[in-house]
């Protein structure tokens, strides 16, 4: 834990009244509710903290993921992301994120068996997916289908029954790849390829995506491992936008399917997990290294964002981006080099030397290189946020479970600063009401 003094007392003087207040500092924070005692009169509501987009607000205590944005540190349950990416499998990491400890041999076998045997979805799910337009974005299918799963597992509302809760968690981890692959197969007009329980988590997903007439699909081991690492890198990221959505919806005691659908909807936004798709579109729009200076000029004019750059927390390199660049080398040895990589590398080089980006501490984030790998692996661009969602489901569920079991938490219901019309009345002659 950081050595800086994390507790003490904040002495505050309100110059509106001259009164002073002692506000306790715990774990490097003050409780916003302790500001309410600061009033100008007995009937005053008391002071609020105003923090649009929660730039400086901790919403919870968590033991799941630690990030140090200045040092480029990311740890799941205390383990550095670099070690997990190099030595663990996604299912081991998902177990770690969900349970707090890495599984021992027996636990891993049981966990793998559970997930493997819950990869099928109800046959009616196919009818549901078939109902989407042929060019429906896969994320629209994923969000809707995950929500629909709650209608198949009505016991999922028993969120405080540990066995029921754990079973839904296994089902979601197991079925996200199936739903993602089925959405892809629907979009391409291919028949649904059922899960193959002989394959690994990542291998089974590749099989459901790529299988055609062969009796059983055997994924390339390099691509299978690369995808497993990418799932690990995306597994959790503390209180990001979609985790916040997961916790907020979960705080109303909605079931895990509804909460996950809300989180996936938040992830789909182009400023969040939808960025990997936008990065590819950006690189394709740039088209060649010669066009980079013009594009950068438009970004600096504020006309465009440099997709895949910048981060709310990382003000240094996103450690995941560094690992993804290494994964890219392995993938390209199998798939051939993606020509867009040259544009990405030159864009990165220019941006990291340019004052506009340096002064704003804009570095490549996890989404900058992942899309280049996904495209080289043959995934269509619209599938990229789905790949993010598959890995992140473990983190969403861990955040959701930690939130509903946290005795300090209640239903999420922020306050506001009302700045609208104070009070006004309808015209006394109601008949003139229509001609305001
Ligand atoms: C993810 O939170 C997480 O942990 C998310 C994530 C996870 O694992 O869950 O890490 C995954 O979502 C990564 C981020 C993917 N998004 C993108 O790559 C989209 C492009 N990035 C930006 O939209 C932006 O950087 C954000 C949304 C990621 C962060 O935005 P912030 O923290 O609100 O920063 P900001 O918008 O206040 O920007 C500060 C300044 C602004 O300029 P000024 O108004 O000061 O002049 O930097 C500029 C911004 O305009 N800026 C950019 C930029 N990002 C910020 N300018 C150009 N291109 C960019 N990408």
């Amino acid at each position: 834990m950081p050595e800086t003094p994390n507790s003490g007392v904040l002495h505050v003087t309100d110059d509106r009244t001259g009164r002073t207040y002692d506000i306790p500092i715990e774990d490097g924070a003050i409780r916003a509710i302790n500001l309410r005692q600061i009033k100008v009169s007995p009937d005053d509501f008391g002071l609020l903290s105003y923090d649009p987009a929660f730039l400086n607000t901790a919403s919870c205590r968590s033991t799941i993921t630690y990030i140090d944005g200045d040092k480029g540190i990311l740890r799941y349950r205390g383990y550095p992301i670099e070690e997990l990416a190099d030595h663990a499998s996604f299912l081991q990491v998902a177990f770690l994120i969900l349970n707090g400890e890495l599984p021992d041999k027996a636990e891993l076998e049981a966990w793998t068996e559970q997930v493997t045997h819950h990869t099928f979805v109800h046959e009616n799910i196919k009818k549901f997916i078939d109902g989407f337009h042929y060019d429906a974005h896969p994320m629209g299918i994923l969000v809707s289908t995950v929500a629909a799963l709650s209608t198949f597992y009505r016991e999922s509302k028993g969120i405080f029954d540990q066995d029921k809760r754990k079973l839904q968690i296994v089902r979601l981890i197991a079925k996200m790849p199936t739903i993602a692959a089925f959405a892809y197969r629907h979009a391409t007009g291919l028949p649904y390829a059922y899960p193959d329980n002989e394959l690994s988590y990542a291998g089974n997903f590749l099989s459901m995506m790529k299988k055609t007439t062969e009796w059983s699909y055997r994924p390339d081991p390099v691509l299978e491992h690369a995808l497993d690492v990418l799932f690990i890198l995306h597994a959790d990221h503390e209180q990001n936008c979609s985790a916040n959505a997961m916790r907020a919806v979960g705080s109303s005691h909605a079931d895990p399917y509804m909460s996950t659908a809300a989180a996936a909807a938040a992830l789909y936004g182009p400023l969040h997990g939808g960025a990997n798709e936008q990065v590819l579109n950006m690189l394709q729009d740039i088209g060649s290294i010669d066009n980079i200076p013009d594009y950068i000029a438009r970004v600096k004019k504020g006309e465009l964002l440099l997709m895949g750059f910048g981060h709310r927390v990382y003000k240094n390199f996103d450690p995941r981006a560094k690992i993804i660049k290494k994964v890219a080398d392995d993938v390209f040895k199998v798939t051939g080099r993606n020509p867009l990589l040259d544009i990405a590398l030159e864009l990165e080089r220019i941006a990291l030397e340019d004052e506009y980006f340096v002064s704003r501490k804009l570095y490549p984030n996890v989404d900058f290189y992942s899309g280049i790998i996904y495209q080289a692996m043959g995934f269509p661009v619209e599938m990229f946020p789905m790949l993010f969602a598959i890995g992140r489901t473990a983190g969403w569920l861990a955040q959701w479970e930690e939130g509903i079991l946290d005795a300090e938490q209640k239903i999420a219901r922020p306050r506001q600063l009302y700045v609208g019309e104070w009070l006004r009345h309808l015209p006394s002659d109601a008949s003139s009401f229509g001609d305001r």
Side-chain angles (χ1 to χ4, degrees):
M1 276 297 188
E3 298 313 316
T4 50
N6 261 342
S7 57
V9 177
L10 186 68
H11 302 292
V12 175
T13 300
D14 181 351
D15 68 2
R16 300 173 299 176
T17 61
R19 283 197 213 111
T20 58
Y21 303 84
D22 291 346
I23 298 180
I25 299 171
E26 311 159 55
D27 298 326
I30 61 167
R31 285 177 176 272
I33 197 69
N34 287 340
L35 298 173
R36 284 279 295 281
Q37 62 184 306
I38 301 174
K39 299 176 180 238
V40 293
S41 64
D43 61 353
D44 180 3
F45 180 80
L47 218 52
L48 282 175
S49 64
Y50 175 53
D51 190 9
F54 313 126
L55 284 164
N56 193 47
T57 294
S59 62
C60 62
R61 289 175 189 277
S62 183
T63 62
I64 300 169
T65 294
Y66 174 72
I67 299 173
D68 181 320
D70 293 326
K71 298 190 182 114
I73 290 173
L74 169 56
R75 298 176 190 146
Y76 295 155
R77 302 285 188 179
Y79 291 98
I81 190 67
E82 295 80 3
E83 292 179 29
L84 293 170
D86 281 349
H87 304 294
S89 71
F90 172 71
L91 282 185
Q92 284 175 303
V93 171
F95 185 98
L96 168 69
I97 287 173
L98 285 161
N99 299 291
E101 297 297 337
L102 283 164
D104 61 26
K105 189 170 180 300
E107 287 167 332
L108 181 59
E109 278 171 13
W111 171 243
T112 304
E113 197 272 341
Q114 280 181 331
V115 171
T116 303
H117 286 83
H118 281 280
T119 49
F120 272 67
V121 291
H122 191 290
E123 281 291 285
N124 284 2
I125 291 289
K126 292 191 320 184
K127 296 178 193 150
F128 187 79
I129 292 177
D130 285 345
F132 282 91
H133 204 256
Y134 74 92
D135 61 353
H137 193 290
M139 283 300 284
I141 297 175
L142 179 80
V143 171
S144 315
T145 306
V146 168
L149 282 179
S150 71
T151 66
F152 288 84
Y153 305 112
R154 300 171 76 92
E155 78 276 13
S156 62
K157 288 176 177 37
I159 64 174
F160 293 107
D161 175 319
Q162 184 173 346
D163 292 342
K164 288 179 182 174
R165 187 173 69 243
K166 295 294 184 191
L167 176 55
Q168 311 321 316
I169 288 173
V170 166
R171 282 173 167 152
L172 273 159
I173 299 283
K175 296 178 196 306
M176 284 300 256
T178 309
I179 296 169
F182 277 20
Y184 167 74
R185 304 289 283 205
H186 167 74
T188 51
L190 288 169
Y192 297 117
Y194 283 92
D196 180 342
N197 289 349
E198 298 307 311
L199 296 173
S200 73
Y201 189 82
N204 174 47
F205 176 64
L206 288 171
S207 169
M208 294 189 287
M209 287 286 294
K210 311 268 188 185
K211 187 173 181 297
T212 50
T213 57
E214 63 273 56
W215 180 250
S216 60
Y217 179 85
R218 285 297 165 257
D220 179 291
V222 172
L223 302 186
E224 181 181 4
H225 175 71
L227 192 57
D228 200 66
V229 171
L230 286 161
F231 287 156
I232 289 172
L233 296 176
H234 288 84
D236 191 54
H237 214 238
E238 57 132 282
Q239 304 313 314
N240 57 83
C241 179
S242 53
N244 184 56
M246 187 81 183
R247 281 181 173 259
V249 174
S251 75
S252 73
H253 293 175
D255 68 65
Y257 299 102
M258 287 298 176
S259 303
T260 303
L267 183 79
Y268 185 16
L271 296 187
H272 190 12
N276 54 20
E277 179 180 351
Q278 301 309 321
V279 167
L280 251 289
N281 295 337
M282 172 184 74
L283 294 175
Q284 286 166 336
D285 287 349
I286 292 172
S288 86
I289 286 178
D290 301 340
N291 298 334
I292 291 176
D294 288 348
Y295 194 89
I296 291 272
R298 291 183 62 197
V299 171
K300 289 161 75 171
K301 274 190 234 152
E303 286 175 26
L304 299 161
L305 287 175
L306 196 56
M307 300 312 279
F309 268 71
H311 200 276
R312 174 65 53 77
V313 176
Y314 291 124
K315 299 308 173 188
N316 194 320
F317 248 86
D318 182 333
R320 300 168 296 179
K322 286 184 183 173
I323 299 169
I324 287 179
K325 276 177 88 171
K326 280 194 302 184
V327 170
D329 295 340
D330 298 340
V331 168
F332 295 153
K333 282 183 194 131
V334 172
T335 62
R337 186 179 172 81
N338 186 333
L340 291 178
L341 178 66
D342 298 323
I343 299 175
L345 289 169
E346 181 61 7
L347 196 54
E348 178 187 39
R349 185 191 67 77
I350 293 174
L352 295 184
E353 290 173 355
D354 187 303
E355 178 52 25
Y356 179 91
F357 300 97
V358 173
S359 64
R360 289 169 175 79
K361 299 188 176 183
L362 301 180
Y363 293 89
N365 58 48
V366 67
D367 291 310
F368 187 62
Y369 284 107
S370 54
I372 296 169
I373 297 176
Y374 295 147
Q375 187 185 52
M377 292 174 77
F379 292 110
V381 174
E382 290 194 340
M383 279 296 288
F384 294 0
M386 305 282 270
L387 297 162
F388 195 138
I390 290 172
R392 187 53 58 88
T393 297
W396 286 335
L397 289 164
Q399 297 286 348
W400 169 80
E401 188 171 42
E402 186 177 65
I404 63 170
L405 298 180
D406 182 342
E408 277 200 303
Q409 294 293 338
K410 296 172 179 276
I411 188 167
R413 203 263 181 241
R415 294 284 179 171
Q416 64 172 16
L417 303 183
Y418 180 70
V419 293
E421 296 283 349
W422 184 243
L423 174 62
R424 48 186 177 165
H425 299 286
L426 292 177
S428 52
D429 169 8
S431 64
S432 64
F433 172 36
D435 57 9
R436 277 175 300 164

